[in-house]
């Protein structure tokens, strides 16, 4: 990593929405280590990734508010005097968004809009980081996908995440609110939801393989993906937050290399030392919103803040399996 | 115009949301003439363009429901057995969206999403036309702007209209709902709101000039615009609705030529036979969301359904002034 970021966070205040969830809690651990005053807001929605165990080890060093980011009064109180807002709370389930589209819109676009307006009101100098999704681009028209790729979501979740990201950009252009958007790809690692495949197939596979179940691969599993180990994503959030010149920018994250879904399953089995893969028919509700191959152009974030993924896939999967072997009782 | 469209509408049922408004009422007149069974829903929101006088002459041939498109129960009842939905209701005020962003999101994106889901449920074969805005493209990166232009709204209204349009596209791709989106540019003509400049400066100028007031031009007035006479927009809606192969497509509309804002003011004075223009400082809340020059590439809709604007600007302005000279009492 090119820059030390500790100075930017030591003694500062940061609010992490969705901070009991996967990425939020990993970020909270890093912030706590840097002696940032961390406040977490999380509603522990059973459909999301929030888990109190995720802050095990830092529970005495962070303030946790059990609340909802849609609640303006709560958010207004929490935002006051914050230096950073890491807005990670939201609906990330593609299939879920097709089943409950209004809730998806509300928690992603409406809540984000409300929060941006509150920032303008109570803490206009705050640094805002929003995590959107590669899903805003839809089916790639070319690879790797850079930030200029046409925006054409293929599911409702992609629309609501995109609207939220665009609200961030408008708030920057019109009101000079210091917002930056990161488009995440498949993120994996310790503290992810592994209860089911609602948010990501990788979490589900982690659980399946540790339970001795075959890994289900939809169809031929040939579609390419890029995976980011969660610590690399946290590092991207910190590097970008610490660099004021990234305000008003959108950045794509991506992995060190692309891998097909089937190869990934095979790699997991290999790293685990045992297990099997099973190819099953593509469920129709997933096939309709499947985006095909996806690879990421990360040259923009690399040029602006020197970020690139540092954990290779094999090591990342190894670390993830170890974490869940040890702590599975907290996540099953 | 290339194709007769009457066959597609005679004896059919059409629901027009915002049908007491500017474009909706002009559409309702055309549909009523073609013996379509027209139902209008409009909430007569004082900030919008709804006006009962707009259906003067067809009031016995259309059914008018005073209601809100956000109301799922009302919409479900109205959508049943419709052949066409012209979804024109929504917030179109750029400045208004910056003052009341949540209402803007709700009436544009949320209501549209809800309506699409209701269509799937009660009338999945319906033909859906949604009118979005050139505002989804933001400040042009090249001219004329075609449908491949990057999407980068510069105000909240552009975000909510874009989200609504994208919901239409997802509903087509995933659920085969027959949706088409038209991106409108500056539309003018009889039955437009002229009470103030909330929705469009052109309406306000119409009133100003007829009241003998100087036309206020912000700044130098050099930015280019394209204007569409409302009957041309109605024709586009009908041509596209009648052509099933336009489902899943987005089309930009545009005028026969571009004109600067200052030239437009001068032309209005000339057509009116008297009046003056006055250059005033750009209000800061408008400057921040100003998009610069805008010209439209209409070759896609022209190629697909043969549409092009048929009313030239001079004639259109003449007809508009005549309408308001006669009916000003209904609109001031």
């Amino acid at each position: 990593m090119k820059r030390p970021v500790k100075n930017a966070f030591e003694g500062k205040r940061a609010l992490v929405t969705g901070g009991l969830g996967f990425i939020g809690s990993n970020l909270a651990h890093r912030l706590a280590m840097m002696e940032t005053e961390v406040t977490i807001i999380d509603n522990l929605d059973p459909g999301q990734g929030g888990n109190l165990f995720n802050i095990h080890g830092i529970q005495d060093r962070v303030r946790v508010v059990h609340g909802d980011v849609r609640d303006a009064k709560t958010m207004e109180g929490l935002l006051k005097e914050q230096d950073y807002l890491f807005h990670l709370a939201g609906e990330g389930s593609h299939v879920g968004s097709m089943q409950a589209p209004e809730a998806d819109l509300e928690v992603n676009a409406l809540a984000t809009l409300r929060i941006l307006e509150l920032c303008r009101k109570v803490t206009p100098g705050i640094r805002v980081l929003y995590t959107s999704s590669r899903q805003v681009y839809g089916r790639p028209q070319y690879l790797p996908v850079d930030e200029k790729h046409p925006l054409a979501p293929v599911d409702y979740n992609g629309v609501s995440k995109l609207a939220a990201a665009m609200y961030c950009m408008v708030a920057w252009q019109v009101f000079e609110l210091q917002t930056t958007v990161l488009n995440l790809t498949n993120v994996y690692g310790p503290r992810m939801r592994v209860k089911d495949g609602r948010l990501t197939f990788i979490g589900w596979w982690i659980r399946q393989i540790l339970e001795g179940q075959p890994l289900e691969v939809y169809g031929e599993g040939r579609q390419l993906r890029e995976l980011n180990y969660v610590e690399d994503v946290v590092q991207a959030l910190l590097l970008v937050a610490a660099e004021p010149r990234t305000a008003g920018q959108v950045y794509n994250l991506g992995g060190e290399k692309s891998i097909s879904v089937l190869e990934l399953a095979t790699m997991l089995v290999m790293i685990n030392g045992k297990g099997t893969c099973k190819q099953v028919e593509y469920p129709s509700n997933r096939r309709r919103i499947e985006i095909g191959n996806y690879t990421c152009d990360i040259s923009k974030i690399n040029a602006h803040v020197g970020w690139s993924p540092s954990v290779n896939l094999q090591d990342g999967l190894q670390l993830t399996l170890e974490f869940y072997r040890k702590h599975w009782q907290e996540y099953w």
Side-chain angles (χ1 to χ4, degrees), chain A:
Chain A
M1 287 302 157
K2 297 217 172 138
R3 293 155 200 242
V5 292
K6 194 178 176 207
N7 285 348
F9 297 99
E10 192 173 359
K12 296 289 169 66
R13 292 183 174 137
L15 177 63
V16 182
T17 73
L20 297 179
F22 171 34
I23 299 168
S25 63
N26 280 284
L27 173 66
H29 279 265
R30 271 292 294 281
L31 288 169
M33 278 194 289
M34 293 189 292
E35 287 161 52
T36 310
E37 279 184 44
V38 179
T39 303
I40 282 171
I41 176 166
D42 202 299
N43 68 354
L44 287 170
D45 180 333
Q48 301 298 332
N51 186 328
L52 271 170
F53 185 76
N54 277 344
I55 54 163
H56 179 70
I58 55 166
Q59 67 272 31
D60 302 331
R61 292 151 73 189
V62 300
R63 175 179 163 218
V64 177
V65 177
H66 185 203
D68 196 299
V69 291
R70 286 166 286 194
D71 177 352
K73 209 168 163 186
T74 302
M75 287 306 294
E76 180 167 345
L78 294 180
L79 283 165
K80 271 179 196 152
E81 298 179 15
Q82 295 290 343
D83 300 300
Y84 296 95
L85 167 64
F86 294 94
H87 179 34
L88 312 179
E91 174 61 85
S93 171
H94 307 304
V95 170
S97 76
M98 303 311 283
Q99 287 155 355
E102 289 193 18
D104 176 270
L105 174 62
E106 208 179 82
V107 76
N108 289 341
L110 178 62
T112 301
L113 176 61
R114 193 171 283 163
I115 288 169
L116 292 168
E117 290 291 296
L118 288 171
C119 286
R120 285 179 56 205
K121 185 176 159 193
V122 301
T123 174
I126 196 171
R127 190 78 181 85
V128 179
L129 276 281
Y130 178 66
T131 49
S132 184
S133 156
R134 62 137 199 266
Q135 206 70 4
V136 301
Y137 300 115
R139 286 181 194 93
Q141 295 175 22
Y142 57 80
L143 295 173
V145 174
D146 59 18
E147 293 83 357
K148 294 191 170 120
H149 187 283
L151 299 162
V154 297
D155 58 25
Y156 289 153
N157 187 246
V159 178
S160 67
K161 294 294 269 184
L162 179 58
M166 285 182 160
Y167 281 136
C168 291
M169 292 298 103
V170 170
W172 155 252
Q173 288 158 21
V174 179
F175 305 116
E176 285 110 46
L177 201 66
Q178 309 278 307
T179 58
T180 307
V181 173
L182 299 187
N183 286 322
L184 308 187
T185 178
N186 291 79
V187 186
Y188 74 101
R191 306 188 180 98
M192 74 192 299
R193 178 186 174 100
V194 295
K195 208 175 276 190
D196 53 34
R198 188 174 185 278
L199 298 178
T200 152
F201 68 96
I202 306 168
W204 182 229
W205 279 3
I206 299 281
R207 173 164 175 179
Q208 294 286 86
I209 201 161
L210 292 179
E211 288 194 320
Q213 300 293 322
L215 305 183
E216 291 196 340
V217 176
Y218 297 149
E220 300 193 341
R222 280 199 206 156
Q223 66 276 36
L224 293 176
R225 288 288 179 274
E226 284 189 23
L227 275 67
N228 266 165
Y229 189 64
V230 66
E231 278 185 19
D232 280 329
V233 173
V234 167
Q235 184 68 6
L237 283 163
L238 296 173
L239 283 169
V240 168
E243 176 48 69
R245 283 175 299 179
T246 62
Q249 299 290 332
V250 175
Y251 298 102
N252 292 352
L253 300 196
E256 27 119 42
K257 63 168 186 176
S258 57
I259 186 168
S260 79
V261 170
L262 183 60
E263 284 169 326
L264 177 64
T266 314
M267 186 188 272
L268 250 184
V269 170
M270 190 198 70
I271 294 170
N272 188 51
K274 60 183 172 186
T276 53
C277 308
K278 185 173 82 175
Q279 288 179 301
V280 300
E281 212 180 321
Y282 227 114
S284 70
N285 63 341
R286 288 192 185 260
R287 179 188 290 279
R288 288 182 303 180
I289 59 176
E290 166 60 37
I291 57 162
N293 290 337
Y294 197 94
T295 64
C296 317
D297 185 336
I298 60 167
S299 49
K300 184 177 172 188
I301 188 167
N302 184 258
H304 287 203
V305 297
W307 181 86
S308 60
S310 66
V311 179
N312 79 44
L313 188 54
Q314 209 149 335
D315 292 346
L317 290 174
Q318 181 78 56
L319 290 164
T320 308
L321 285 173
E322 277 168 24
F323 179 86
Y324 287 98
R325 272 195 204 101
K326 198 166 162 191
H327 300 298
W328 65 272
Q329 284 168 304
E330 309 290 345
Y331 292 92
W332 261 213

